[in-house]
């Protein structure tokens, strides 16, 4: 009581002007703190789901993440097959931007850290330093991110494994900082030794099933030629441990996806959005072939994607027709085929065919026609020459193509759009000719 009386008398003795000055100063200081806090969590931009993300740089300008903002074309633009756009730097020093599957977030890397940003420019969470491990990207939805990690082996050494940063669907990435603690021990990631995975194998390129119940991944021995001397696709199913305690994780079911010969390399698995298939690539280093395969997750069905049909060549002379067909088949067999992206909820898949460094063909595989009509299950969408990077739009209709005709020299670079339905091309007006692009995502 005595302390309260003394305090009241002391305050009443302060001149009124001094008291008002103190109050104003406190309000101004509080406002300044609010502005600083706001600037620390919010960028001065927003990104729309249909906008293109680049990691790029220009001479004399910063390297970082740029956004291509599409503008309304005029009649003259449409007449000359042009789409106007504005290119804007949004994250200096940022790299490898990746849209989340539902386009609510952008995953990117900066100064060796993993960041997650929402479309309004709020950096909502980040992980500690990546320690040189790869960031593989998003899982099947906006609730999971796949990253590389340590894998602790039986002899006490470490190799390469993988983890999944995940959150429940009702949470947001702003709930906390991304950490290495993932649910139950090693849930949704292999950071441990397992009897089905020899210790000399590194694990990489994980892909997650839509229901989160399984991962498919590469298990390989790293070397300098193809990056590996042995590589096979494995699948792990996440199940609860038995009631008894285990010293290791041998209770987790892990199996090889195929029984293809060991001299064939299996790489780049991609789980279909409907969960029915795992697409991957098979490389034969001796024969220099590179094909796309499909497999059911249990490995009971393993089949190569058929090559494009050579029957589109027609000649009135049957002998010449057969010769042309044979030569075209040999031509297709020498190509390199790569999985680009699953489309339309697993009903279609985009495949890239590389003839030479300067010639690329994009084919659309209709999954439903594989058993019914193998000959016509592939459709040629477009062919490109002298391009560096591509990205597919959110609505799956357009493909962005970055060209740089002088390798290593920022001269005459261009950005084009290809309408995959109408097979029509557009040049992007306003794209800087001196811009060097290292990464694209749309």
């Amino acid at each position: 009581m005595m302390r309260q009386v003394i305090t009241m008398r002391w305050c009443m003795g302060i001149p009124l002007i001094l008291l008002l000055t103190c109050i104003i100063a406190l309000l101004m200081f509080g406002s300044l703190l609010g502005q600083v806090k706001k600037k620390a969590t919010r960028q001065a931009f927003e990104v729309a789901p249909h906008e293109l993300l680049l990691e790029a740089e220009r001479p004399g300008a910063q390297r970082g993440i740029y956004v291509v903002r599409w503008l309304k074309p005029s009649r003259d633009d449409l007449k000359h097959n042009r789409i106007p756009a504005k290119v804007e730097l949004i994250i200096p020093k940022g790299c490898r931007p990746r849209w989340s599957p539902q386009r609510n977030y952008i995953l990117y890397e900066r100064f060796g850290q993993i960041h997650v940003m929402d479309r309004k420019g709020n950096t909502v969470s980040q992980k500690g330093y990546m320690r040189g491990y790869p960031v593989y990207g998003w899982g099947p939805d906006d609730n999971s991110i796949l990253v590389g990690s340590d894998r602790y082996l039986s002899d006490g050494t470490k190799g390469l494994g993988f983890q999944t940063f995940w959150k429940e669907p009702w949470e947001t990435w702003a709930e906390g900082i991304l950490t290495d603690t993932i649910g139950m021990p090693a849930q949704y990631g292999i950071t441990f030794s397992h009897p089905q995975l020899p210790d000399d194998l590194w694990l990489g390129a994980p892909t997650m099933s839509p229901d989160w119940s399984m991962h498919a991944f590469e298990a390989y021995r790293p070397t300098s030629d193809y990056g590996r001397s042995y590589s096979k696709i494995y699948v792990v199913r996440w199940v609860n441990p038995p009631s008894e305690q285990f010293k290791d994780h041998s209770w987790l079911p892990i199996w090889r996806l195929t029984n293809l010969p060991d001299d064939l390399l299996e790489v780049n698995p991609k789980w279909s959005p409907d969960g029915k298939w795992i697409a991957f690539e098979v490389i034969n280093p001796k024969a220099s072939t590179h094909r796309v395969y499909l497999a059911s997750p249990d490995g009971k069905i393993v089949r190569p994607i058929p090559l494009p049909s050579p029957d589109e060549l027609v000649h009135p002379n049957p002998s010449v027709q057969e010769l042309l067909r044979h030569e075209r088949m040999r031509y297709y067999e020498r190509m390199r085929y790569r999985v680009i992206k699953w489309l339309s909820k697993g009903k279609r898949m985009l495949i890239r065919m590389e003839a030479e460094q300067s010639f690329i063909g994009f084919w659309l595989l209709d999954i439903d026609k594989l058993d019914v009509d193998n000959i016509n299950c592939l459709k040629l969408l477009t062919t490109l020459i002298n391009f560096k990077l591509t990205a597919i739009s959110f609505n799956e209709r357009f493909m962005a193509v970055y060209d740089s005709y002088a390798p290593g020299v920022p001269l005459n670079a261009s950005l084009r759009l290809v309408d995959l339905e109408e097979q029509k091309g557009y040049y992007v007006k306003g794209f800087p000719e001196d811009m060097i692009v290292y990464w694209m995502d749309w």
Side-chain angles (χ1 to χ4, degrees):
M1 183 68 180
M2 182 64 65
R3 180 178 298 177
Q4 293 179 354
V5 172
I6 294 175
T7 302
M8 291 178 61
R9 289 177 178 177
W10 180 79
C11 290
M12 292 175 62
I14 299 177
L16 182 61
I17 184 67
L18 180 60
L19 182 61
L20 291 175
T21 302
C22 292
I23 294 174
I24 293 173
L26 288 173
L27 290 175
M28 292 179 64
F29 182 68
S31 177
L32 180 61
L33 285 178
Q35 292 180 6
V36 171
K37 182 178 181 181
K38 183 178 180 181
K39 289 182 179 179
T41 59
R42 175 73 182 274
Q43 309 290 342
F45 61 83
E46 294 187 17
V47 185
H50 63 275
E51 293 176 333
L52 177 66
L53 300 175
L54 311 174
E55 178 191 346
E57 67 176 332
R58 300 180 64 185
Q62 290 193 58
R63 179 168 176 171
I65 296 176
Y66 290 76
V67 59
V68 179
R69 304 189 187 278
W70 310 111
L71 305 177
K72 185 177 180 180
S74 64
R75 290 184 178 179
D76 186 63
D77 289 329
L78 296 177
K79 180 181 178 181
H80 293 88
N81 296 328
R82 297 183 306 220
I83 299 295
K86 178 182 178 182
V87 182
E88 176 185 344
L89 175 66
I90 57 173
I91 305 178
K93 306 298 184 180
C95 59
R96 292 181 174 265
R98 304 169 182 89
W99 276 111
S100 66
Q102 281 77 45
R103 297 304 193 272
N104 293 315
Y105 301 100
I106 297 172
L107 169 69
Y108 67 96
E109 303 166 34
R110 189 169 187 263
F111 299 135
Q113 290 182 318
I114 305 172
H115 297 260
V116 180
M117 178 183 71
D118 64 19
R119 295 204 309 261
K120 294 184 178 181
N122 297 308
T123 299
V124 294
S125 64
Q126 69 181 41
K127 179 187 179 295
Y129 283 98
M130 294 149 45
R131 296 175 292 175
Y133 289 121
V135 181
Y136 298 110
W138 293 94
D141 50 36
D142 286 14
N143 303 319
S144 53
I145 297 172
L146 305 176
V147 299
S149 71
D150 286 324
R151 179 183 172 218
Y152 296 91
L153 306 178
S154 57
D155 61 359
T157 61
K158 292 189 296 185
L160 178 63
F162 66 89
Q163 293 181 345
T164 302
F165 295 139
W166 64 281
K167 65 181 183 63
E168 299 294 345
W170 57 84
E171 298 175 336
T172 68
W173 285 109
E175 294 291 333
I177 297 177
L178 301 178
T179 66
D180 291 336
T181 303
I182 305 176
M184 299 299 291
Q187 185 178 8
Y188 300 137
I190 298 183
T191 61
F192 46 81
S193 180
H194 191 280
Q196 295 299 321
L197 295 172
D199 281 354
D200 64 338
L201 297 182
W202 287 15
L203 313 182
T207 178
M208 198 176 199
S209 63
D211 62 359
W212 290 25
S213 65
M214 291 181 283
H215 273 88
F217 55 94
E218 298 176 7
Y220 62 94
R221 298 188 187 100
T223 58
S224 58
D225 295 334
Y226 282 88
R228 58 208 65 195
S229 62
Y230 171 93
S231 182
K232 296 299 173 185
I233 306 299
Y234 280 75
V235 179
V236 56
R237 181 184 295 276
W238 303 109
V239 296
N240 292 325
S243 56
E244 63 267 21
Q245 295 296 322
F246 277 71
K247 294 182 179 180
D248 55 24
H249 294 79
S250 59
W251 48 268
L252 276 176
I254 297 180
W255 64 92
R256 264 192 59 182
L257 183 62
T258 79
N259 58 358
L260 295 176
D262 286 352
D263 58 346
L264 299 180
L265 306 180
E266 303 171 9
V267 300
N268 193 25
K270 293 185 183 298
W271 216 297
S272 65
D274 59 7
K276 296 180 179 180
W277 299 101
I278 299 173
F280 60 102
E281 300 162 24
V282 175
I283 302 172
N284 187 339
K286 296 180 180 178
S288 298
T289 60
H290 194 141
R291 298 283 300 277
V292 174
Y293 276 61
L294 279 180
S296 57
D298 58 9
K300 294 182 179 179
I301 302 175
V302 178
R303 59 188 304 178
I305 297 303
L307 296 175
S309 172
D311 294 331
E312 72 273 10
L313 295 176
V314 179
H315 195 278
N317 188 325
S319 60
V320 176
Q321 168 74 18
E322 183 60 28
L323 178 62
L324 290 175
R325 186 181 187 280
H326 179 70
E327 289 299 320
R328 178 55 64 95
M329 180 58 72
R330 290 184 57 193
Y331 172 78
Y332 283 145
E333 288 175 350
R334 292 194 299 266
M335 302 303 101
R336 298 186 299 273
Y337 300 87
R338 302 177 186 273
V339 180
I340 300 300
K341 188 176 182 180
W342 282 98
L343 305 174
S344 304
K345 298 181 180 180
K347 297 297 183 181
R348 301 185 301 170
M349 183 170 59
L350 187 64
I351 297 175
R352 187 173 75 187
M353 180 188 74
E354 301 179 3
E356 298 173 355
Q357 189 174 4
S358 61
F359 176 80
I360 307 291
F362 288 88
W363 296 77
L364 188 65
L365 173 68
D366 190 331
I367 303 298
D368 290 336
K369 291 183 178 180
L370 268 177
D371 293 321
V372 179
D373 187 5
N374 273 344
I375 295 179
N376 297 313
C377 66
L378 283 173
K379 176 185 176 182
L380 180 63
L381 296 179
T382 187
T383 57
L384 301 172
I385 297 177
N386 292 326
F387 87 99
K388 302 300 179 183
L389 298 169
T390 61
I392 307 298
S393 65
F394 186 33
N395 62 6
E396 301 179 357
R397 177 168 178 174
F398 294 93
M399 179 166 61
V401 181
Y402 168 70
D403 290 336
S404 180
Y405 295 105
V409 179
L411 178 66
N412 293 329
S414 67
L415 185 66
R416 290 184 289 151
L417 297 183
V418 178
D419 188 327
L420 297 177
E421 291 185 4
E422 299 184 0
Q423 297 190 10
K424 186 176 182 180
Y426 300 87
Y427 278 92
V428 177
K429 185 176 74 172
F431 183 79
E433 292 187 354
D434 59 353
M435 176 160 277
I436 305 174
V437 179
Y438 305 95
W439 179 275
M440 295 172 59
D441 192 60
W442 196 0

PDB file of all heavy atoms in Angstrom, residues 303-321:
ATOM      1  N   ARG A 303       6.626 -53.073 -66.755  1.00  0.00           N
ATOM      2  CA  ARG A 303       6.546 -53.069 -68.208  1.00  0.00           C
ATOM      3  C   ARG A 303       7.169 -51.802 -68.777  1.00  0.00           C
ATOM      4  O   ARG A 303       7.040 -50.716 -68.184  1.00  0.00           O
ATOM      5  CB  ARG A 303       5.089 -53.163 -68.654  1.00  0.00           C
ATOM      6  CG  ARG A 303       4.225 -52.034 -68.134  1.00  0.00           C
ATOM      7  CD  ARG A 303       2.746 -52.241 -68.421  1.00  0.00           C
ATOM      8  NE  ARG A 303       2.492 -52.435 -69.831  1.00  0.00           N
ATOM      9  CZ  ARG A 303       1.271 -52.671 -70.321  1.00  0.00           C
ATOM     10  NH1 ARG A 303       0.233 -52.762 -69.490  1.00  0.00           N
ATOM     11  NH2 ARG A 303       1.095 -52.828 -71.607  1.00  0.00           N
ATOM     12  N   PRO A 304       7.859 -51.915 -69.918  1.00  0.00           N
ATOM     13  CA  PRO A 304       8.380 -50.717 -70.575  1.00  0.00           C
ATOM     14  C   PRO A 304       7.284 -49.998 -71.344  1.00  0.00           C
ATOM     15  O   PRO A 304       6.337 -50.625 -71.837  1.00  0.00           O
ATOM     16  CB  PRO A 304       9.445 -51.273 -71.524  1.00  0.00           C
ATOM     17  CG  PRO A 304       8.964 -52.643 -71.844  1.00  0.00           C
ATOM     18  CD  PRO A 304       8.271 -53.151 -70.597  1.00  0.00           C
ATOM     19  N   ILE A 305       7.393 -48.694 -71.435  1.00  0.00           N
ATOM     20  CA  ILE A 305       6.483 -47.921 -72.269  1.00  0.00           C
ATOM     21  C   ILE A 305       6.821 -48.208 -73.733  1.00  0.00           C
ATOM     22  O   ILE A 305       7.994 -48.182 -74.114  1.00  0.00           O
ATOM     23  CB  ILE A 305       6.613 -46.420 -71.966  1.00  0.00           C
ATOM     24  CG1 ILE A 305       6.214 -46.129 -70.524  1.00  0.00           C
ATOM     25  CG2 ILE A 305       5.752 -45.596 -72.926  1.00  0.00           C
ATOM     26  CD1 ILE A 305       4.827 -46.576 -70.158  1.00  0.00           C
ATOM     27  N   PRO A 306       5.838 -48.510 -74.582  1.00  0.00           N
ATOM     28  CA  PRO A 306       6.149 -48.794 -75.988  1.00  0.00           C
ATOM     29  C   PRO A 306       6.783 -47.598 -76.680  1.00  0.00           C
ATOM     30  O   PRO A 306       6.506 -46.444 -76.344  1.00  0.00           O
ATOM     31  CB  PRO A 306       4.789 -49.137 -76.592  1.00  0.00           C
ATOM     32  CG  PRO A 306       3.787 -48.524 -75.669  1.00  0.00           C
ATOM     33  CD  PRO A 306       4.399 -48.589 -74.307  1.00  0.00           C
ATOM     34  N   LEU A 307       7.642 -47.888 -77.631  1.00  0.00           N
ATOM     35  CA  LEU A 307       8.250 -46.826 -78.420  1.00  0.00           C
ATOM     36  C   LEU A 307       7.217 -46.207 -79.341  1.00  0.00           C
ATOM     37  O   LEU A 307       6.210 -46.844 -79.681  1.00  0.00           O
ATOM     38  CB  LEU A 307       9.421 -47.382 -79.238  1.00  0.00           C
ATOM     39  CG  LEU A 307      10.600 -47.918 -78.438  1.00  0.00           C
ATOM     40  CD1 LEU A 307      11.629 -48.547 -79.371  1.00  0.00           C
ATOM     41  CD2 LEU A 307      11.244 -46.816 -77.615  1.00  0.00           C
ATOM     42  N   PRO A 308       7.430 -44.966 -79.775  1.00  0.00           N
ATOM     43  CA  PRO A 308       6.507 -44.364 -80.748  1.00  0.00           C
ATOM     44  C   PRO A 308       6.395 -45.233 -82.001  1.00  0.00           C
ATOM     45  O   PRO A 308       7.357 -45.859 -82.437  1.00  0.00           O
ATOM     46  CB  PRO A 308       7.159 -43.011 -81.054  1.00  0.00           C
ATOM     47  CG  PRO A 308       7.983 -42.708 -79.848  1.00  0.00           C
ATOM     48  CD  PRO A 308       8.477 -44.034 -79.350  1.00  0.00           C
ATOM     49  N   SER A 309       5.206 -45.270 -82.571  1.00  0.00           N
ATOM     50  CA  SER A 309       4.960 -46.104 -83.742  1.00  0.00           C
ATOM     51  C   SER A 309       5.593 -45.492 -84.986  1.00  0.00           C
ATOM     52  O   SER A 309       5.462 -44.283 -85.226  1.00  0.00           O
ATOM     53  CB  SER A 309       3.459 -46.276 -83.963  1.00  0.00           C
ATOM     54  OG  SER A 309       3.219 -46.924 -85.192  1.00  0.00           O
ATOM     55  N   PRO A 310       6.287 -46.291 -85.804  1.00  0.00           N
ATOM     56  CA  PRO A 310       6.857 -45.776 -87.056  1.00  0.00           C
ATOM     57  C   PRO A 310       5.868 -45.833 -88.211  1.00  0.00           C
ATOM     58  O   PRO A 310       6.231 -45.558 -89.347  1.00  0.00           O
ATOM     59  CB  PRO A 310       8.030 -46.721 -87.297  1.00  0.00           C
ATOM     60  CG  PRO A 310       7.561 -48.018 -86.745  1.00  0.00           C
ATOM     61  CD  PRO A 310       6.674 -47.688 -85.565  1.00  0.00           C
ATOM     62  N   ASP A 311       4.614 -46.189 -87.975  1.00  0.00           N
ATOM     63  CA  ASP A 311       3.656 -46.406 -89.058  1.00  0.00           C
ATOM     64  C   ASP A 311       3.117 -45.121 -89.653  1.00  0.00           C
ATOM     65  O   ASP A 311       2.308 -45.164 -90.574  1.00  0.00           O
ATOM     66  CB  ASP A 311       2.487 -47.259 -88.545  1.00  0.00           C
ATOM     67  CG  ASP A 311       2.934 -48.669 -88.178  1.00  0.00           C
ATOM     68  OD1 ASP A 311       3.898 -49.146 -88.796  1.00  0.00           O
ATOM     69  OD2 ASP A 311       2.324 -49.265 -87.277  1.00  0.00           O
ATOM     70  N   GLU A 312       3.526 -43.959 -89.116  1.00  0.00           N
ATOM     71  CA  GLU A 312       3.013 -42.722 -89.700  1.00  0.00           C
ATOM     72  C   GLU A 312       3.654 -42.419 -91.052  1.00  0.00           C
ATOM     73  O   GLU A 312       3.182 -41.571 -91.795  1.00  0.00           O
ATOM     74  CB  GLU A 312       3.231 -41.553 -88.732  1.00  0.00           C
ATOM     75  CG  GLU A 312       4.675 -41.099 -88.577  1.00  0.00           C
ATOM     76  CD  GLU A 312       5.419 -41.888 -87.521  1.00  0.00           C
ATOM     77  OE1 GLU A 312       4.882 -42.904 -87.054  1.00  0.00           O
ATOM     78  OE2 GLU A 312       6.530 -41.477 -87.166  1.00  0.00           O
ATOM     79  N   LEU A 313       4.749 -43.111 -91.385  1.00  0.00           N
ATOM     80  CA  LEU A 313       5.388 -42.915 -92.685  1.00  0.00           C
ATOM     81  C   LEU A 313       4.695 -43.810 -93.720  1.00  0.00           C
ATOM     82  O   LEU A 313       4.610 -45.022 -93.540  1.00  0.00           O
ATOM     83  CB  LEU A 313       6.879 -43.246 -92.597  1.00  0.00           C
ATOM     84  CG  LEU A 313       7.707 -42.330 -91.700  1.00  0.00           C
ATOM     85  CD1 LEU A 313       9.145 -42.836 -91.634  1.00  0.00           C
ATOM     86  CD2 LEU A 313       7.680 -40.902 -92.186  1.00  0.00           C
ATOM     87  N   VAL A 314       4.208 -43.213 -94.789  1.00  0.00           N
ATOM     88  CA  VAL A 314       3.475 -43.952 -95.818  1.00  0.00           C
ATOM     89  C   VAL A 314       4.184 -43.811 -97.152  1.00  0.00           C
ATOM     90  O   VAL A 314       4.574 -42.699 -97.555  1.00  0.00           O
ATOM     91  CB  VAL A 314       2.021 -43.440 -95.945  1.00  0.00           C
ATOM     92  CG1 VAL A 314       1.286 -44.208 -97.040  1.00  0.00           C
ATOM     93  CG2 VAL A 314       1.296 -43.561 -94.607  1.00  0.00           C
ATOM     94  N   HIS A 315       4.395 -44.947 -97.832  1.00  0.00           N
ATOM     95  CA  HIS A 315       5.027 -44.945 -99.154  1.00  0.00           C
ATOM     96  C   HIS A 315       4.308 -45.968-100.027  1.00  0.00           C
ATOM     97  O   HIS A 315       3.969 -47.067 -99.562  1.00  0.00           O
ATOM     98  CB  HIS A 315       6.519 -45.284 -99.036  1.00  0.00           C
ATOM     99  CG  HIS A 315       7.299 -44.950-100.263  1.00  0.00           C
ATOM    100  ND1 HIS A 315       7.350 -45.787-101.366  1.00  0.00           N
ATOM    101  CD2 HIS A 315       8.051 -43.860-100.574  1.00  0.00           C
ATOM    102  CE1 HIS A 315       8.112 -45.241-102.294  1.00  0.00           C
ATOM    103  NE2 HIS A 315       8.544 -44.066-101.842  1.00  0.00           N
ATOM    104  N   PRO A 316       4.045 -45.644-101.322  1.00  0.00           N
ATOM    105  CA  PRO A 316       3.291 -46.581-102.175  1.00  0.00           C
ATOM    106  C   PRO A 316       4.027 -47.884-102.442  1.00  0.00           C
ATOM    107  O   PRO A 316       3.397 -48.915-102.685  1.00  0.00           O
ATOM    108  CB  PRO A 316       3.074 -45.785-103.472  1.00  0.00           C
ATOM    109  CG  PRO A 316       4.138 -44.729-103.457  1.00  0.00           C
ATOM    110  CD  PRO A 316       4.343 -44.383-102.019  1.00  0.00           C
ATOM    111  N   ASN A 317       5.347 -47.867-102.392  1.00  0.00           N
ATOM    112  CA  ASN A 317       6.120 -49.084-102.621  1.00  0.00           C
ATOM    113  C   ASN A 317       6.257 -49.843-101.301  1.00  0.00           C
ATOM    114  O   ASN A 317       6.862 -49.341-100.347  1.00  0.00           O
ATOM    115  CB  ASN A 317       7.496 -48.728-103.179  1.00  0.00           C
ATOM    116  CG  ASN A 317       8.281 -49.951-103.628  1.00  0.00           C
ATOM    117  OD1 ASN A 317       8.180 -51.014-103.016  1.00  0.00           O
ATOM    118  ND2 ASN A 317       9.068 -49.808-104.679  1.00  0.00           N
ATOM    119  N   PRO A 318       5.727 -51.068-101.202  1.00  0.00           N
ATOM    120  CA  PRO A 318       5.778 -51.802 -99.930  1.00  0.00           C
ATOM    121  C   PRO A 318       7.184 -52.049 -99.422  1.00  0.00           C
ATOM    122  O   PRO A 318       7.425 -51.978 -98.210  1.00  0.00           O
ATOM    123  CB  PRO A 318       5.076 -53.121-100.273  1.00  0.00           C
ATOM    124  CG  PRO A 318       4.218 -52.800-101.443  1.00  0.00           C
ATOM    125  CD  PRO A 318       4.965 -51.769-102.223  1.00  0.00           C
ATOM    126  N   SER A 319       8.130 -52.311-100.315  1.00  0.00           N
ATOM    127  CA  SER A 319       9.502 -52.556 -99.864  1.00  0.00           C
ATOM    128  C   SER A 319      10.118 -51.284 -99.287  1.00  0.00           C
ATOM    129  O   SER A 319      10.826 -51.328 -98.275  1.00  0.00           O
ATOM    130  CB  SER A 319      10.354 -53.099-101.009  1.00  0.00           C
ATOM    131  OG  SER A 319      10.403 -52.167-102.077  1.00  0.00           O
ATOM    132  N   VAL A 320       9.869 -50.170 -99.943  1.00  0.00           N
ATOM    133  CA  VAL A 320      10.372 -48.898 -99.423  1.00  0.00           C
ATOM    134  C   VAL A 320       9.680 -48.556 -98.111  1.00  0.00           C
ATOM    135  O   VAL A 320      10.299 -48.041 -97.174  1.00  0.00           O
ATOM    136  CB  VAL A 320      10.170 -47.772-100.459  1.00  0.00           C
ATOM    137  CG1 VAL A 320      10.599 -46.430 -99.880  1.00  0.00           C
ATOM    138  CG2 VAL A 320      10.953 -48.074-101.726  1.00  0.00           C
ATOM    139  N   GLN A 321       8.383 -48.843 -98.051  1.00  0.00           N
ATOM    140  CA  GLN A 321       7.636 -48.596 -96.817  1.00  0.00           C
ATOM    141  C   GLN A 321       8.239 -49.364 -95.644  1.00  0.00           C
ATOM    142  O   GLN A 321       8.423 -48.826 -94.555  1.00  0.00           O
ATOM    143  CB  GLN A 321       6.176 -49.004 -97.017  1.00  0.00           C
ATOM    144  CG  GLN A 321       5.344 -49.072 -95.749  1.00  0.00           C
ATOM    145  CD  GLN A 321       5.005 -47.691 -95.216  1.00  0.00           C
ATOM    146  OE1 GLN A 321       5.096 -46.709 -95.954  1.00  0.00           O
ATOM    147  NE2 GLN A 321       4.648 -47.619 -93.945  1.00  0.00           N
TER     148      GLN A 321
END
